[in-house]
Amino acid sequence: MIIRDARFLTSNTRVELCPPPDRPEYAFIGRSNVGKSSLINALTSRAGLAKTSASPGKTQLINHFLINEQWYLVDLPGYGYAKVSKTARAEWHKMINAYLQRRENLACVCVLIDSRLPPQASDLEFMEKLGEMGVPFVMVFTKIDKQSAAQTRTLIAAYLAKMSEIWDELPRHFLTSASTKAGREELLGFIDEVNQRLAATPGA
């Protein structure tokens, strides 16, 4: 997939105010500081499209971007640690749940996971919740440039083994780096594949 156009559309706290559900939508979410904004910018080849920050909890809204006039990319608030109040975290949780349950054109959630860490409870719990809700998702491991390929293989294998304890069938996974753009073509190819499948499905 060639990204010809990527532009910010709108930010919202309520799912009913999101853009019309007239295109396939791919939501990106992960623990705070997983490198979500950097990866979005690398995927779209648009530096600064998604706002990056060294401080966790920068994204606090449902941010919609329109890609090639064909599909939506959504930047969701991170979960896990962030220097915000319990009230704010509760509001984010409520907002994200409403979005996941009610956004009818949501084609897939890309769950971003730091490839340098062992399985984290917050990631596992979030993916389990997606499974219970029947929301399609893939695992996107980030920051693979920060360690050796051997270390990455070992940690990914451990993660998939942990997932196998709960899941009968594992979701697809991708290895990515915002710095080197590793995994960019694979992830965009997956999105293109899903878009084509939806376009060929009556009523999709």
Side-chain angles (χ1 to χ4, degrees):
M1 179 191 293
I2 298 173
I3 304 296
R4 299 181 180 86
D5 181 60
R7 56 191 173 90
F8 170 76
L9 282 184
T10 183
S11 294
N12 290 295
T13 58
R14 293 161 53 194
V15 66
E16 59 267 27
L17 297 179
C18 290
D22 53 1
R23 294 170 172 84
E25 188 157 296
Y26 299 83
F28 285 66
I29 191 170
R31 294 171 65 248
S32 299
N33 259 9
V34 75
K36 177 164 51 71
S37 297
S38 296
L39 182 62
I40 289 172
N41 293 338
L43 281 176
T44 58
S45 295
R46 302 293 192 278
L49 184 69
K51 304 302 182 185
T52 60
S53 172
S55 301
K58 181 69 173 179
T59 305
Q60 300 184 21
L61 301 167
I62 302 170
N63 298 303
H64 272 79
F65 302 89
L66 180 59
I67 312 299
N68 289 348
E69 302 290 332
Q70 296 176 337
W71 55 279
Y72 296 122
L73 187 158
V74 180
D75 184 7
L76 292 175
Y79 50 83
Y81 172 80
K83 289 184 178 179
V84 295
S85 67
K86 288 183 178 180
T87 301
R89 283 201 297 273
E91 286 300 314
W92 292 358
H93 182 76
K94 181 179 177 182
M95 175 176 65
I96 292 168
N97 272 356
Y99 169 83
L100 294 172
Q101 291 173 331
R102 296 168 53 193
R103 190 63 175 164
E104 61 194 78
N105 61 323
L106 180 59
C108 187
V109 174
C110 296
V111 181
L112 274 57
I113 299 166
D114 193 326
S115 66
R116 303 169 298 174
L117 303 177
Q120 302 292 298
S122 55
D123 292 329
L124 296 170
E125 289 166 5
F126 182 75
M127 288 185 284
E128 189 169 355
K129 181 173 72 173
L130 290 176
E132 291 170 352
M133 295 168 66
V135 176
F137 72 94
V138 295
M139 303 165 69
V140 180
F141 291 95
T142 63
K143 304 184 180 183
I144 64 169
D145 60 298
K146 305 297 184 184
Q147 62 188 354
S148 71
Q151 288 175 307
T152 296
R153 284 194 298 270
T154 298
L155 285 164
I156 300 304
Y159 218 113
L160 297 180
K162 184 67 175 178
M163 290 284 288
S164 296
E165 296 176 6
I166 301 173
W167 298 85
D168 291 330
E169 183 178 346
L170 295 181
R172 288 179 65 168
H173 70 277
F174 300 87
L175 308 183
T176 68
S177 164
S179 298
T180 68
K181 293 195 175 182
R184 177 180 184 272
E185 294 303 319
E186 290 81 0
L187 189 50
L188 288 176
F190 165 74
I191 292 173
D192 192 38
E193 174 189 316
V194 175
N195 284 344
Q196 291 185 37
R197 186 169 71 242
L198 291 173
T201 304

